[in-house]
Amino acid sequence: MPDALFPQPPWWRSAVFYQVYPRSFADSGGDGVGDLRGLRDKLGYLELLGVDALWICPVMRSPMADGGYDVSDPRDIDPLFGGVAALDDLIDEAHHRHIRVTMDLVPNHTSDQHHWFRAALASAPGSPERARYWFRDGRGPDGSVPPNNWPGIFGGPAWTRVIEADGRPGQWYLHLFAPEQPDLNWENPEVAADFEQTIRFWLNRGVDGFRIDVAHGMAKPAGLPDMELPTRPIGDDHLVVHDDDDPRFNNPGVHEIHRRLRRVMDEYPNAVSIGEVWVDDNIRFGEYVRPDELHLAFNFRLAETPFHPDRIRDAVDNSLRAVAAVGASPTWTLSNHDVEREVSRYGGGALGQARARAMIMLELALPGSVFIYNGAELGLPNVDDLPEEALQDPTWERSGHTQRGRDGCRVPLPWEGERPPFGFTSGTPWLPMPPQWAGVTVEKQLERLDSMLSLYRMAIELRAERKEFIGPGLEWYGSPPGCLAFRREGGLLCVLNATDAAISLPAGEVLLTSAPISAGKLPANSTAWLV
Ligand code: ISL
């Protein structure tokens, strides 16, 4: 029993989080875009799935130039998602069902429609209004060359020139993402003070924590020096578009920002902060989750790893190592709204499905917290043939129509029925849904024990209930080539067969397998849990 000597670990250390991309989850209003009432209506489903907490992608007021990651008022909910009342209702209902609610916050930038940015545009160079952002004069005799050579993450330069009050082209402002997302200047005390106010605002409304967008951003290097431009082409899948030495990200000053944020979080003892940290080096990654910084940080190694046993083992080892040094706990994720869905990444079709089943079991067997991206539990593939006119990710325009961007992993969820929009909306979904998803609706998968959804339900339930999943430790076991096996402190043995032939299992009681055992053997591309 937990007592003062053996306190219960915080809930988030082993929680299963479910990431909701609100536009795509469930629409209650018939406008084709998912909303918070739609989400509330589906909480029974999430309770059945067994998740402990939600991470809801941004729902604050926004002109939606980047699906809500361009926030024009951080202390209001956009009417498109149902306004603040809908969030209050969602929190009540979720808590009633013992599901915690965390929301996305975007501290690195605002929308260009935020009143601060509008004031900055209306004010003169050098004014306090401009000092909340990064306005600089251009280079060259007429200032027509951007202040430095930084490219934006979505393509094109990271700078846009403004028209001054006299009607002439004037200063430039920095935006690491779209031009509609000007970067905030965190050296300005007003910026930090405003962010603190936002955190308190939502925590006081009952939110259980935050996912912090671009948590390795915010701080900028002195003098905004030019960067070495990547020689490698930027991938279409949005993975690894910069390295650790990129001056746009991961500057040392970011840690003071996180310490400040943590001091506020500590006033709310059960609340959690989870940073989006795209940092490869283990030591530098670990710095973000020191005891006085973020509680957790996303480790994207598994989401970047192909279905290859050595690479998977390496990803697991490095993810554990990165947090062990600072006493933090690990996080695991196979996909999110920025990357290709895992079924497609693992080869698509039946093979991709089998591997995704194997990988969710491997992931749920690991110590730490697990993040499931909505639709992964249905085994949805990426939709790579969306018509060009449907594409909405700013990447499409910014790259001059050379990169399709991330819409393919953001197609709305199929709930029921035989035809699009499969109960997602009574209107026209904001992205078209493939007719062949008729076979993978929630309705159909709930009926079948062998569905991806049933596997998720069984695995999450076992993970929550069996004592064999207890403890932070993990020990690798000898295993045949092409296979992986590890044992948890509590006694769970997890075996992954990444070969293309069936293997014999070690002795023990089989708790669950991702594919049916045949003639006593574990099939290719599958995982078993034994005790
Ligand atoms: O730097 C990256 C990878 O090495 C980028 O992936 C970057 O960190 C990432 O794109 C940031 O993503 C987040 O902020 C974006 C938003 O479009 C994404 O959806 C969000 O997850 C801008 O707010």
Side-chain angles (χ1 to χ4, degrees), residues 380-469:
L380 298 184
N382 237 54
V383 181
D384 294 325
D385 59 355
L386 287 168
E388 290 183 355
E389 60 279 9
L391 297 179
Q392 311 225 359
D393 184 343
T395 308
W396 175 239
E397 289 302 327
R398 296 286 297 164
S399 70
H401 297 184
T402 59
Q403 292 181 51
R404 293 169 66 85
R406 304 159 292 178
D407 291 319
C409 67
R410 298 175 176 177
V411 173
L413 263 59
W415 291 95
E416 59 190 28
E418 299 302 324
R419 267 174 301 280
F422 300 117
F424 162 71
T425 177
S426 57
T428 306
W430 72 281
L431 286 174
M433 303 171 67
Q436 58 275 25
W437 283 6
V440 294
T441 59
V442 169
E443 184 183 39
K444 293 241 172 73
Q445 296 207 35
L446 282 173
E447 284 165 8
R448 289 201 328 257
L449 259 183
D450 64 351
S451 65
M452 184 73 87
L453 180 54
S454 295
L455 178 73
Y456 268 72
R457 285 180 65 189
M458 289 184 283
I460 292 171
E461 188 178 346
L462 286 167
R463 182 184 189 275
E465 289 183 353
R466 299 284 304 216
K467 63 175 184 352
E468 289 87 353
F469 289 79

XYZ file of all heavy atoms in Angstrom, residues 380-469:
732
model
N -5.435 2.201 -38.969
C -5.608 3.010 -40.182
C -4.260 3.212 -40.865
O -3.256 3.480 -40.203
C -6.208 4.380 -39.841
C -7.597 4.379 -39.219
C -8.080 5.823 -39.041
C -8.592 3.590 -40.067
N -4.233 3.085 -42.187
C -3.005 3.402 -42.920
C -2.961 4.891 -43.249
O -3.951 5.608 -43.081
C -3.178 2.602 -44.215
C -4.665 2.566 -44.430
C -5.315 2.605 -43.056
N -1.815 5.372 -43.686
C -1.749 6.716 -44.231
C -2.593 6.762 -45.502
O -2.641 5.778 -46.243
C -0.301 7.039 -44.596
C 0.187 8.269 -43.899
O 0.090 8.347 -42.669
N 0.686 9.231 -44.659
N -3.218 7.901 -45.753
C -3.953 8.049 -47.010
C -3.077 8.904 -47.928
O -2.974 10.112 -47.756
C -5.328 8.706 -46.778
C -6.081 8.837 -48.098
C -6.135 7.895 -45.784
N -2.412 8.246 -48.840
C -1.413 8.948 -49.644
C -1.943 9.433 -50.983
O -1.211 10.033 -51.762
C -0.194 8.038 -49.857
C 0.526 7.775 -48.539
O 0.557 8.694 -47.704
O 1.020 6.649 -48.330
N -3.236 9.163 -51.247
C -3.775 9.592 -52.543
C -4.883 10.634 -52.391
O -5.802 10.694 -53.202
C -4.272 8.369 -53.333
C -5.347 7.607 -52.572
O -5.627 7.975 -51.401
O -5.916 6.655 -53.133
N -4.783 11.466 -51.337
C -5.763 12.547 -51.209
C -5.651 13.438 -52.443
O -4.539 13.732 -52.895
C -5.469 13.382 -49.953
C -5.791 12.730 -48.612
C -5.174 13.542 -47.467
C -7.298 12.605 -48.413
N -6.786 13.867 -52.988
C -6.690 14.754 -54.154
C -5.984 16.058 -53.781
O -6.155 16.559 -52.669
C -8.154 15.009 -54.532
C -8.982 14.461 -53.439
C -8.147 13.558 -52.595
N -5.196 16.570 -54.703
C -4.399 17.759 -54.390
C -5.258 18.910 -53.886
O -4.848 19.659 -53.000
C -3.598 18.181 -55.630
C -2.500 17.180 -55.920
C -1.610 17.563 -57.081
O -1.884 18.578 -57.751
O -0.620 16.822 -57.309
N -6.456 19.041 -54.437
C -7.274 20.192 -54.028
C -7.789 20.047 -52.594
O -8.250 21.007 -51.990
C -8.422 20.447 -55.016
C -9.429 19.335 -55.216
C -8.959 18.236 -56.200
O -7.767 18.250 -56.595
O -9.770 17.353 -56.526
N -7.658 18.836 -52.029
C -8.121 18.639 -50.651
C -7.028 18.956 -49.627
O -7.311 19.139 -48.449
C -8.583 17.191 -50.456
N -5.775 19.025 -50.074
C -4.670 19.147 -49.126
C -4.723 20.480 -48.366
O -4.971 21.525 -48.960
C -3.328 19.014 -49.854
C -3.081 17.660 -50.520
C -1.737 17.652 -51.232
C -3.155 16.520 -49.492
N -4.500 20.400 -47.054
C -4.620 21.594 -46.210
C -3.360 21.912 -45.441
O -3.223 23.015 -44.908
C -5.764 21.376 -45.219
C -7.017 20.896 -45.885
C -8.245 21.604 -45.406
O -8.181 22.470 -44.548
N -9.386 21.229 -45.954
N -2.463 20.971 -45.295
C -1.224 21.226 -44.555
C -0.455 22.362 -45.242
O -0.244 22.319 -46.452
C -0.377 19.944 -44.556
C 0.891 20.082 -43.721
O 1.289 21.223 -43.405
O 1.482 19.046 -43.386
N -0.017 23.386 -44.464
C 0.724 24.500 -45.075
C 1.955 24.050 -45.862
O 2.410 24.764 -46.758
C 1.123 25.374 -43.880
C 0.775 24.616 -42.647
C -0.218 23.576 -43.034
N 2.462 22.867 -45.542
C 3.631 22.351 -46.253
C 3.395 22.295 -47.763
O 4.294 22.552 -48.559
C 3.958 20.925 -45.759
O 4.046 20.955 -44.336
C 5.245 20.403 -46.333
N 2.180 21.952 -48.153
C 1.854 21.788 -49.577
C 2.113 23.084 -50.338
O 2.808 23.114 -51.342
C 0.401 21.314 -49.693
C -0.145 21.195 -51.092
C -1.230 21.851 -51.590
C 0.337 20.361 -52.157
N -1.453 21.488 -52.890
C -0.506 20.575 -53.270
C 1.391 19.465 -52.291
C -0.327 19.933 -54.494
C 1.568 18.815 -53.506
C 0.725 19.048 -54.589
N 1.584 24.193 -49.826
C 1.787 25.487 -50.496
C 3.221 25.965 -50.338
O 3.857 26.416 -51.288
C 0.829 26.546 -49.935
C -0.641 26.338 -50.333
C -0.860 26.310 -51.843
O -0.128 27.019 -52.572
O -1.769 25.579 -52.307
N 3.747 25.872 -49.107
C 5.074 26.423 -48.817
C 6.178 25.717 -49.600
O 7.230 26.294 -49.839
C 5.402 26.332 -47.315
C 4.512 27.147 -46.411
C 4.775 28.629 -46.466
N 6.105 29.028 -46.023
C 6.634 30.213 -46.270
N 5.971 31.111 -46.989
N 7.833 30.514 -45.832
N 5.940 24.440 -49.932
C 6.980 23.711 -50.659
C 6.792 23.845 -52.166
O 7.426 23.122 -52.930
C 6.947 22.226 -50.260
O 5.776 21.618 -50.789
N 5.906 24.744 -52.581
C 5.657 24.907 -54.006
C 5.104 23.632 -54.614
O 5.479 23.248 -55.720
N 4.238 22.973 -53.843
C 3.570 21.744 -54.291
C 4.564 20.604 -54.577
O 4.353 19.804 -55.470
C 2.694 21.997 -55.528
C 1.564 22.946 -55.254
N 0.603 23.258 -56.167
C 1.237 23.659 -54.157
C -0.254 24.134 -55.649
N 0.116 24.383 -54.426
N 5.645 20.571 -53.812
C 6.568 19.440 -53.973
C 6.424 18.447 -52.829
O 6.775 17.287 -52.965
C 8.033 19.897 -54.049
O 8.342 20.595 -52.836
C 8.283 20.811 -55.235
N 5.915 18.908 -51.668
C 5.684 17.983 -50.556
C 4.231 18.048 -50.151
O 3.717 19.124 -49.875
C 6.552 18.379 -49.358
C 8.027 18.176 -49.600
C 8.818 18.570 -48.363
O 8.517 18.130 -47.267
N 9.813 19.407 -48.556
N 3.605 16.860 -50.073
C 2.172 16.837 -49.777
C 1.887 17.163 -48.317
O 0.791 17.596 -47.980
C 1.588 15.478 -50.144
C 1.602 15.237 -51.661
C 1.268 13.804 -51.985
N -0.094 13.465 -51.630
C -1.153 13.686 -52.409
N -1.001 14.239 -53.582
N -2.361 13.340 -52.004
N 2.878 16.954 -47.441
C 2.663 17.283 -46.040
C 1.993 16.178 -45.267
O 2.054 15.011 -45.656
N 1.302 16.548 -44.183
C 0.896 15.576 -43.172
C -0.580 15.218 -43.180
O -1.061 14.538 -42.283
C 1.289 16.142 -41.800
C 2.764 16.477 -41.696
C 3.041 17.481 -40.584
N 2.487 18.779 -40.929
C 2.529 19.854 -40.143
N 3.107 19.791 -38.967
N 1.994 20.993 -40.533
N -1.328 15.673 -44.179
C -2.769 15.394 -44.172
C -3.077 13.901 -44.217
O -4.099 13.460 -43.706
C -3.454 16.098 -45.345
C -3.471 17.613 -45.171
O -3.705 18.071 -44.033
O -3.229 18.329 -46.151
N -2.194 13.126 -44.826
C -2.448 11.694 -44.994
C -2.604 10.926 -43.691
O -3.203 9.851 -43.669
N -2.071 11.483 -42.594
C -2.260 10.805 -41.295
C -3.353 11.483 -40.477
O -3.535 11.187 -39.309
C -0.944 10.746 -40.524
S -0.325 12.348 -39.987
N -4.066 12.435 -41.107
C -5.053 13.227 -40.358
C -6.485 13.019 -40.865
O -7.386 13.783 -40.510
C -4.691 14.708 -40.450
C -3.342 15.019 -39.830
C -2.932 16.461 -40.030
N -1.679 16.747 -39.329
C -1.044 17.915 -39.363
N -1.552 18.909 -40.057
N 0.082 18.083 -38.698
N -6.678 12.029 -41.697
C -8.013 11.760 -42.248
C -8.947 11.346 -41.102
O -8.541 10.600 -40.214
C -7.907 10.665 -43.332
C -9.274 10.228 -43.819
C -7.050 11.176 -44.496
N -10.198 11.870 -41.081
C -11.115 11.567 -39.976
C -11.332 10.071 -39.731
O -11.187 9.242 -40.636
C -12.416 12.245 -40.413
C -11.979 13.376 -41.270
C -10.771 12.869 -42.010
N -11.710 9.751 -38.495
C -11.895 8.356 -38.079
C -13.217 7.775 -38.590
O -14.249 8.442 -38.522
C -11.888 8.272 -36.541
C -10.557 7.893 -35.893
C -9.476 8.893 -36.272
C -10.686 7.782 -34.392
N -13.205 6.525 -39.051
C -14.447 5.869 -39.461
C -15.124 5.201 -38.262
O -14.537 4.329 -37.629
C -13.952 4.819 -40.466
C -12.573 4.470 -40.000
C -12.021 5.675 -39.285
N -16.324 5.612 -37.956
C -17.008 5.076 -36.762
C -17.952 3.926 -37.095
O -17.926 2.896 -36.437
C -17.767 6.204 -36.041
C -16.824 7.174 -35.403
C -16.364 8.350 -35.947
C -16.157 7.023 -34.153
N -15.459 8.934 -35.087
C -15.317 8.158 -33.975
C -16.197 6.062 -33.141
C -14.521 8.332 -32.848
C -15.406 6.242 -32.007
C -14.578 7.359 -31.873
N -18.799 4.125 -38.118
C -19.825 3.096 -38.359
C -20.374 3.222 -39.772
O -20.108 4.208 -40.463
C -20.976 3.266 -37.361
C -21.618 4.636 -37.490
C -22.604 4.946 -36.382
O -22.456 4.417 -35.263
O -23.525 5.730 -36.651
N -21.128 2.221 -40.182
C -21.804 2.286 -41.483
C -20.917 1.791 -42.605
O -19.770 1.397 -42.402
N -21.469 1.865 -43.804
C -20.825 1.242 -44.967
C -20.185 2.240 -45.913
O -19.499 1.858 -46.848
C -21.866 0.414 -45.748
C -22.485 -0.730 -44.950
C -21.447 -1.723 -44.434
O -20.453 -1.983 -45.133
O -21.624 -2.225 -43.292
N -20.446 3.518 -45.698
C -19.974 4.514 -46.669
C -19.415 5.744 -45.951
O -19.871 6.078 -44.848
C -21.146 4.978 -47.544
C -21.312 4.197 -48.838
C -22.570 4.626 -49.577
N -23.765 4.425 -48.747
C -24.354 3.253 -48.584
N -23.888 2.181 -49.199
N -25.421 3.118 -47.820
N -18.440 6.427 -46.576
C -17.996 7.703 -46.009
C -19.209 8.622 -45.844
O -20.105 8.546 -46.690
C -17.035 8.266 -47.072
C -16.631 7.093 -47.915
C -17.781 6.122 -47.860
N -19.304 9.425 -44.823
C -18.273 9.704 -43.815
C -18.315 8.789 -42.585
O -17.766 9.167 -41.543
C -18.562 11.144 -43.432
C -20.050 11.279 -43.600
C -20.436 10.376 -44.719
N -18.890 7.610 -42.705
C -18.802 6.597 -41.643
C -19.138 7.123 -40.244
O -18.468 6.809 -39.259
C -17.400 5.981 -41.605
C -16.994 5.300 -42.883
C -15.906 5.767 -43.619
C -17.693 4.188 -43.350
C -15.526 5.131 -44.805
C -17.321 3.548 -44.529
C -16.234 4.019 -45.255
N -20.188 7.972 -40.173
C -20.627 8.450 -38.854
C -19.728 9.503 -38.235
O -20.000 9.984 -37.134
N -18.656 9.893 -38.936
C -17.777 10.938 -38.381
C -18.512 12.272 -38.309
O -18.350 13.045 -37.369
C -16.508 11.062 -39.237
C -15.765 12.359 -39.014
C -15.076 12.589 -37.830
C -15.786 13.370 -39.975
C -14.416 13.796 -37.605
C -15.125 14.578 -39.754
C -14.448 14.786 -38.570
N -19.315 12.548 -39.323
C -20.031 13.822 -39.416
C -21.337 13.581 -40.159
O -21.466 12.579 -40.881
C -19.184 14.867 -40.186
O -19.935 16.080 -40.334
C -18.787 14.387 -41.586
N -22.288 14.503 -39.989
C -23.481 14.415 -40.832
C -23.284 15.264 -42.077
O -24.135 15.297 -42.955
C -24.717 14.883 -40.042
O -24.494 16.195 -39.587
N -22.152 15.967 -42.155
C -21.860 16.802 -43.317
C -20.777 16.194 -44.196
O -20.681 14.970 -44.317
N -19.957 17.047 -44.757
C -18.860 16.593 -45.615
C -17.563 16.691 -44.821
O -17.208 17.774 -44.359
C -18.753 17.508 -46.860
O -20.042 17.549 -47.478
C -17.716 16.991 -47.844
N -16.847 15.578 -44.635
C -15.629 15.628 -43.812
C -14.583 16.558 -44.409
O -14.491 16.674 -45.630
C -15.126 14.181 -43.794
C -15.851 13.474 -44.878
C -17.103 14.238 -45.189
N -13.797 17.191 -43.545
C -12.825 18.215 -44.013
C -11.739 17.619 -44.886
O -11.149 18.329 -45.697
C -12.249 18.990 -42.831
C -11.286 18.232 -41.964
C -11.628 17.313 -40.999
C -9.863 18.309 -41.965
N -10.482 16.821 -40.408
C -9.376 17.425 -40.972
C -8.930 19.050 -42.689
C -8.026 17.247 -40.698
C -7.574 18.883 -42.408
C -7.132 17.985 -41.431
N -11.479 16.316 -44.735
C -10.649 15.591 -45.704
C -11.464 14.389 -46.152
O -12.148 13.765 -45.323
C -9.349 15.095 -45.049
C -8.249 16.105 -44.747
C -7.108 15.444 -43.969
C -7.717 16.752 -46.026
N -11.411 14.036 -47.441
C -12.207 12.886 -47.896
C -11.738 11.581 -47.242
O -10.547 11.397 -46.995
C -11.968 12.862 -49.405
C -10.793 13.743 -49.665
C -10.651 14.679 -48.517
N -12.699 10.695 -46.968
C -12.385 9.429 -46.305
C -12.483 8.290 -47.315
O -13.422 8.232 -48.092
C -13.373 9.207 -45.148
C -13.365 10.353 -44.155
S -14.699 10.253 -42.941
C -14.222 8.808 -42.005
N -11.510 7.364 -47.307
C -11.512 6.299 -48.310
C -12.702 5.339 -48.131
O -12.931 4.855 -47.024
C -10.204 5.532 -48.030
C -9.417 6.374 -47.088
C -10.365 7.281 -46.396
N -13.432 5.057 -49.217
C -14.582 4.133 -49.126
C -14.174 2.766 -48.583
O -14.954 2.103 -47.903
C -15.065 4.010 -50.580
C -14.461 5.163 -51.310
C -13.249 5.615 -50.565
N -12.914 2.350 -48.852
C -12.502 1.017 -48.382
C -12.344 0.933 -46.862
O -12.114 -0.145 -46.332
C -11.255 0.513 -49.119
C -10.018 1.360 -49.052
C -9.977 2.468 -50.099
O -11.012 2.932 -50.600
N -8.790 2.950 -50.425
N -12.513 2.042 -46.158
C -12.489 1.977 -44.694
C -13.774 1.372 -44.123
O -13.916 1.238 -42.914
C -12.214 3.362 -44.100
C -10.761 3.755 -44.186
C -9.768 3.055 -44.838
C -10.123 4.908 -43.621
N -8.570 3.713 -44.709
C -8.749 4.849 -43.966
C -10.570 5.988 -42.851
C -7.828 5.822 -43.575
C -9.659 6.961 -42.459
C -8.299 6.871 -42.816
N -14.715 1.010 -45.000
C -15.953 0.366 -44.523
C -15.632 -0.867 -43.675
O -16.364 -1.202 -42.750
C -16.827 -0.020 -45.714
N -14.535 -1.530 -43.978
C -14.200 -2.753 -43.249
C -13.506 -2.514 -41.919
O -13.315 -3.461 -41.147
N -13.090 -1.278 -41.640
C -12.308 -1.047 -40.414
C -12.972 -0.049 -39.469
O -12.313 0.547 -38.616
C -10.864 -0.578 -40.741
C -10.093 -1.672 -41.444
C -10.860 0.710 -41.564
N -14.282 0.129 -39.610
C -14.954 1.066 -38.711
C -14.882 0.545 -37.266
O -14.698 -0.652 -37.030
C -16.435 1.229 -39.087
O -17.051 -0.064 -39.014
C -16.598 1.807 -40.488
N -15.043 1.456 -36.337
C -15.083 1.070 -34.916
C -16.169 0.014 -34.711
O -15.952 -1.006 -34.045
C -15.353 2.317 -34.035
C -15.656 1.915 -32.606
C -14.174 3.284 -34.108
N -17.324 0.270 -35.320
C -18.457 -0.667 -35.184
C -18.044 -2.087 -35.582
O -18.280 -3.044 -34.837
C -19.564 -0.155 -36.111
C -20.863 -0.910 -36.081
C -21.845 -0.333 -37.117
O -21.414 0.045 -38.243
O -23.034 -0.252 -36.793
N -17.404 -2.203 -36.718
C -17.022 -3.550 -37.187
C -15.945 -4.158 -36.296
O -15.981 -5.351 -35.987
C -16.477 -3.470 -38.624
C -17.515 -3.070 -39.650
C -17.717 -4.163 -40.701
C -18.893 -3.841 -41.611
N -18.596 -2.759 -42.564
N -14.983 -3.330 -35.918
C -13.854 -3.886 -35.160
C -14.243 -4.294 -33.744
O -13.641 -5.198 -33.170
C -12.697 -2.889 -35.118
C -12.126 -2.612 -36.499
C -10.667 -2.197 -36.443
O -9.901 -2.676 -35.615
N -10.272 -1.311 -37.339
N -15.271 -3.611 -33.195
C -15.713 -3.999 -31.846
C -16.298 -5.406 -31.851
O -16.247 -6.121 -30.856
C -16.748 -3.006 -31.314
C -16.202 -1.674 -30.790
C -17.337 -0.729 -30.458
C -15.293 -1.874 -29.572
N -16.849 -5.779 -32.996
C -17.504 -7.098 -33.079
C -16.524 -8.247 -33.231
O -16.898 -9.393 -33.038
C -18.430 -7.127 -34.307
C -19.712 -6.357 -34.108
C -20.411 -6.111 -35.438
O -19.979 -6.656 -36.476
O -21.397 -5.349 -35.409
N -15.312 -7.921 -33.672
C -14.377 -9.009 -33.988
C -13.242 -9.100 -32.984
O -12.537 -8.141 -32.728
C -13.771 -8.778 -35.390
C -14.735 -8.983 -36.541
C -13.945 -9.238 -37.824
N -12.673 -8.524 -37.820
C -12.434 -7.412 -38.501
N -13.382 -6.869 -39.248
N -11.247 -6.824 -38.448
N -13.055 -10.283 -32.447
C -11.995 -10.474 -31.464
C -10.610 -10.347 -32.071
O -9.648 -10.030 -31.376
C -12.116 -11.875 -30.864
C -12.765 -11.965 -29.493
C -12.747 -13.392 -29.012
C -12.045 -11.045 -28.488
N -10.501 -10.602 -33.378
C -9.173 -10.563 -34.004
C -8.850 -9.196 -34.611
O -7.866 -9.060 -35.331
C -9.056 -11.653 -35.076
C -10.030 -11.422 -36.233
O -10.907 -10.519 -36.121
O -9.936 -12.137 -37.249
N -9.663 -8.173 -34.305
C -9.400 -6.854 -34.901
C -8.264 -6.144 -34.174
O -7.897 -6.498 -33.051
C -10.659 -5.987 -34.839
O -10.993 -5.714 -33.483
N -7.720 -5.131 -34.822
C -6.693 -4.301 -34.181
C -7.258 -3.691 -32.897
O -6.606 -3.668 -31.853
C -6.258 -3.194 -35.150
C -5.141 -2.328 -34.649
S -3.534 -3.155 -34.664
C -2.980 -2.802 -36.333
N -8.498 -3.202 -32.984
C -9.114 -2.567 -31.817
C -9.205 -3.538 -30.639
O -8.909 -3.176 -29.492
C -10.499 -2.041 -32.207
C -11.309 -1.340 -31.128
C -10.528 -0.199 -30.491
C -12.623 -0.797 -31.717
N -9.603 -4.767 -30.898
C -9.701 -5.744 -29.802
C -8.326 -6.030 -29.209
O -8.191 -6.202 -27.992
C -10.351 -7.043 -30.291
O -11.684 -6.785 -30.661
N -7.309 -6.084 -30.069
C -5.950 -6.302 -29.551
C -5.548 -5.155 -28.625
O -5.028 -5.378 -27.525
C -4.952 -6.412 -30.711
C -3.499 -6.603 -30.259
C -3.287 -8.013 -29.708
C -2.522 -6.328 -31.393
N -5.798 -3.930 -29.056
C -5.480 -2.774 -28.204
C -6.215 -2.883 -26.863
O -5.632 -2.644 -25.811
C -5.889 -1.467 -28.910
C -4.797 -0.812 -29.732
C -4.370 -1.361 -30.936
C -4.193 0.371 -29.317
C -3.383 -0.750 -31.699
C -3.200 0.989 -30.072
C -2.802 0.437 -31.261
O -1.819 1.048 -32.004
N -7.494 -3.206 -26.932
C -8.268 -3.281 -25.677
C -7.697 -4.322 -24.730
O -7.524 -4.080 -23.540
C -9.724 -3.635 -25.985
C -10.521 -2.500 -26.547
C -11.942 -2.930 -26.832
N -12.666 -3.289 -25.615
C -13.865 -3.863 -25.621
N -14.457 -4.162 -26.769
N -14.470 -4.142 -24.496
N -7.421 -5.505 -25.282
C -6.914 -6.587 -24.420
C -5.548 -6.225 -23.852
O -5.261 -6.443 -22.674
C -6.829 -7.897 -25.217
C -8.194 -8.474 -25.528
S -8.091 -10.079 -26.354
C -7.677 -9.631 -28.019
N -4.697 -5.660 -24.699
C -3.327 -5.363 -24.265
C -3.322 -4.262 -23.201
O -2.615 -4.358 -22.195
C -2.484 -4.959 -25.475
N -4.137 -3.232 -23.422
C -4.173 -2.134 -22.446
C -4.718 -2.628 -21.111
O -4.229 -2.268 -20.041
C -5.003 -0.950 -23.008
C -4.266 -0.316 -24.197
C -5.271 0.091 -21.935
C -5.086 0.718 -24.966
N -5.701 -3.510 -21.190
C -6.290 -4.026 -19.952
C -5.283 -4.878 -19.177
O -5.116 -4.724 -17.965
C -7.546 -4.846 -20.280
C -8.294 -5.241 -19.033
C -9.576 -6.020 -19.331
O -10.016 -6.031 -20.503
O -10.100 -6.619 -18.388
N -4.601 -5.749 -19.872
C -3.609 -6.589 -19.197
C -2.513 -5.725 -18.580
O -2.083 -5.930 -17.444
C -2.976 -7.580 -20.194
C -3.862 -8.753 -20.605
C -3.250 -9.471 -21.806
C -4.039 -9.728 -19.430
N -2.060 -4.737 -19.338
C -1.004 -3.847 -18.846
C -1.422 -3.137 -17.564
O -0.614 -2.926 -16.658
C -0.697 -2.816 -19.939
C 0.410 -1.845 -19.635
C 0.486 -0.865 -20.800
N 1.655 0.002 -20.729
C 1.704 1.110 -20.037
N 0.654 1.496 -19.331
N 2.801 1.849 -20.047
N -2.710 -2.777 -17.494
C -3.191 -2.056 -16.311
C -3.379 -2.986 -15.125
O -3.225 -2.574 -13.977
C -4.505 -1.352 -16.646
N -3.721 -4.234 -15.399
C -4.163 -5.085 -14.294
C -3.135 -6.070 -13.786
O -3.197 -6.477 -12.627
C -5.446 -5.816 -14.702
C -6.579 -4.814 -14.768
C -7.916 -5.422 -15.088
O -7.955 -6.629 -15.400
O -8.898 -4.673 -15.019
N -2.223 -6.493 -14.631
C -1.308 -7.563 -14.214
C -0.093 -6.999 -13.492
O 0.536 -6.052 -13.965
C -0.838 -8.367 -15.434
C -1.937 -9.048 -16.207
C -2.450 -10.285 -15.529
N -1.442 -11.274 -15.240
C -1.629 -12.603 -15.311
N -2.799 -13.085 -15.714
N -0.671 -13.430 -14.979
N 0.240 -7.643 -12.390
C 1.399 -7.180 -11.613
C 2.717 -7.394 -12.357
O 3.728 -6.767 -12.049
C 1.435 -7.877 -10.256
C 1.604 -9.382 -10.358
C 1.743 -9.986 -8.983
C 2.013 -11.484 -8.961
N 1.949 -12.281 -10.197
N 2.704 -8.247 -13.366
C 3.944 -8.530 -14.110
C 4.462 -7.307 -14.874
O 5.593 -7.296 -15.339
C 3.731 -9.679 -15.106
C 3.573 -11.050 -14.454
C 2.141 -11.363 -14.053
O 1.263 -10.456 -14.159
O 1.887 -12.504 -13.621
N 3.598 -6.284 -15.023
C 4.017 -5.082 -15.769
C 4.627 -4.027 -14.844
O 4.941 -2.928 -15.287
C 2.820 -4.476 -16.518
C 2.362 -5.291 -17.695
C 1.581 -6.422 -17.518
C 2.712 -4.913 -18.981
C 1.148 -7.171 -18.602
C 2.277 -5.653 -20.082
C 1.495 -6.784 -19.886
